Amino acid sequence: MAVFVRYVTSSVLVKEELLDLAELKDTTRRIDLKEALDTKNKLVSVTTDGATAMVGKHIGLMGLLNSDPTYPEFILVYCVVPRKHLAAKNFNFSIVFKSVLEIVNYIQPNAKNHRPFKNVISELDLADKSSDLPFYCAVSWLSSSDVFYRFVELLEPIKCFLLEKQKTFEIFDDVNFLHNLSFLTDVMQHLQNLNLLLQGKEKNISDLAQTIFSFQNCSISERSYLLILE
């Protein structure tokens, strides 16, 4: 387990360094994480992703630390990145999402479909476009932005390939679906860029807040589109 520490120097500079690499021998339960922490006398604040395993009142890591009298009182801070992921999952585009992943999962995991699909792309000589579709990872939800981006970019090769396989999808003839697909792809690209801006070393809460406020201010057109859809 990697333990990082963030502190403020006498010159009012925020520093972030690797404090320790703690060994977790058998299991990674909450109690194992607690026992691996050797910072009882120096603990001031803990940042967590908000998962139940971390913030559970009784058996979560924060609950175990609070109930241990040998630990000092500390400030609990919730990381903004996981909250943004949860908010992004509430997009009401389930039909678009399901349809795209159905096609991607038909092409990508099966070698009998994947190799011919790559051959179709090479025959079309799309030098300025992607050469393949990526896998979708459900754990990192915003990674699907890459899937959607390449899906839109390779939309014509995908149509050609499915036509050769005699697979029909009515969504390709649905103008509203194609509009929603393009819109969702753009929004997810913006969220992915925001996700990258919120990560990195030596970021403080004012930097993160300013990044989020800037994102909100530059998203007027997207919000207006959503209002029209509603």
Side-chain angles (χ1 to χ4, degrees):
M1 179 177 66
V3 181
F4 287 85
V5 59
R6 172 173 288 188
Y7 58 94
V8 180
T9 66
S10 57
S11 303
V12 198
L13 295 176
V14 178
K15 294 292 184 178
E16 182 177 304
E17 297 180 6
L18 177 63
L19 177 64
D20 188 20
L21 289 175
E23 182 179 7
L24 299 174
K25 296 182 179 180
D26 298 320
T27 59
T28 56
R29 300 170 303 167
R30 293 86 158 177
I31 188 65
D32 298 318
L33 298 177
K34 175 179 177 295
E35 292 178 352
L37 293 174
D38 188 19
T39 57
K40 292 184 179 180
N41 298 325
K42 301 178 181 179
L43 187 64
V44 176
S45 176
V46 177
T47 301
T48 173
D49 58 2
T52 304
M54 295 295 293
V55 300
K57 184 176 181 181
H58 301 291
I59 60 175
L61 178 59
M62 299 303 104
L64 294 176
L65 295 179
N66 281 322
S67 62
D68 190 337
T70 62
Y71 276 86
E73 292 186 6
F74 59 88
I75 301 173
L76 176 60
V77 180
Y78 292 96
C79 180
V80 299
V81 175
R83 289 186 170 190
K84 175 176 60 59
H85 283 222
L86 293 174
K89 283 188 175 182
N90 288 325
F91 282 141
N92 189 22
F93 290 93
S94 57
I95 295 178
V96 177
F97 210 91
K98 180 180 178 180
S99 301
V100 170
L101 294 185
E102 181 182 355
I103 296 173
V104 171
N105 290 334
Y106 172 76
I107 296 174
Q108 180 59 262
N110 191 335
K112 292 182 179 180
N113 292 331
H114 189 208
R115 282 195 292 266
F117 174 70
K118 296 191 70 173
N119 292 335
V120 170
I121 296 177
S122 60
E123 291 172 1
L124 293 176
D125 192 22
L126 304 174
D128 58 335
K129 294 186 178 181
S130 304
S131 59
D132 200 2
L133 286 172
F135 281 104
Y136 167 66
C137 178
V139 176
S140 181
W141 189 84
L142 284 178
S143 66
S144 56
S145 64
D146 295 331
V147 178
F148 275 74
Y149 178 80
R150 294 198 195 180
F151 185 90
V152 172
E153 193 175 39
L154 298 173
L155 191 58
E156 291 306 318
I158 290 173
K159 289 181 180 180
C160 294
F161 172 75
L162 294 176
L163 187 62
E164 290 181 2
K165 291 289 185 177
Q166 298 181 347
K167 293 282 290 185
T168 59
F169 288 88
E170 296 180 357
I171 56 173
F172 292 130
D173 299 323
D174 187 343
V175 176
N176 289 331
F177 175 86
L178 296 177
H179 286 171
N180 289 336
L181 172 63
S182 299
F183 170 72
L184 182 59
T185 302
D186 288 342
V187 171
M188 293 177 68
Q189 283 289 306
H190 288 311
L191 287 172
Q192 179 74 324
N193 293 334
L194 175 62
N195 182 51
L196 295 176
L197 290 173
L198 293 176
Q199 301 181 46
K201 295 182 62 177
E202 299 180 0
K203 297 286 184 70
N204 55 47
I205 188 62
S206 59
D207 294 333
L208 300 180
Q210 185 59 47
T211 300
I212 294 176
F213 293 152
S214 299
F215 175 80
Q216 292 174 335
N217 292 334
C218 72
S219 300
I220 297 176
S221 60
E222 285 84 354
R223 293 201 301 272
S224 299
Y225 184 85
L226 283 175
L227 289 175
I228 293 174
L229 290 179
E230 292 176 355

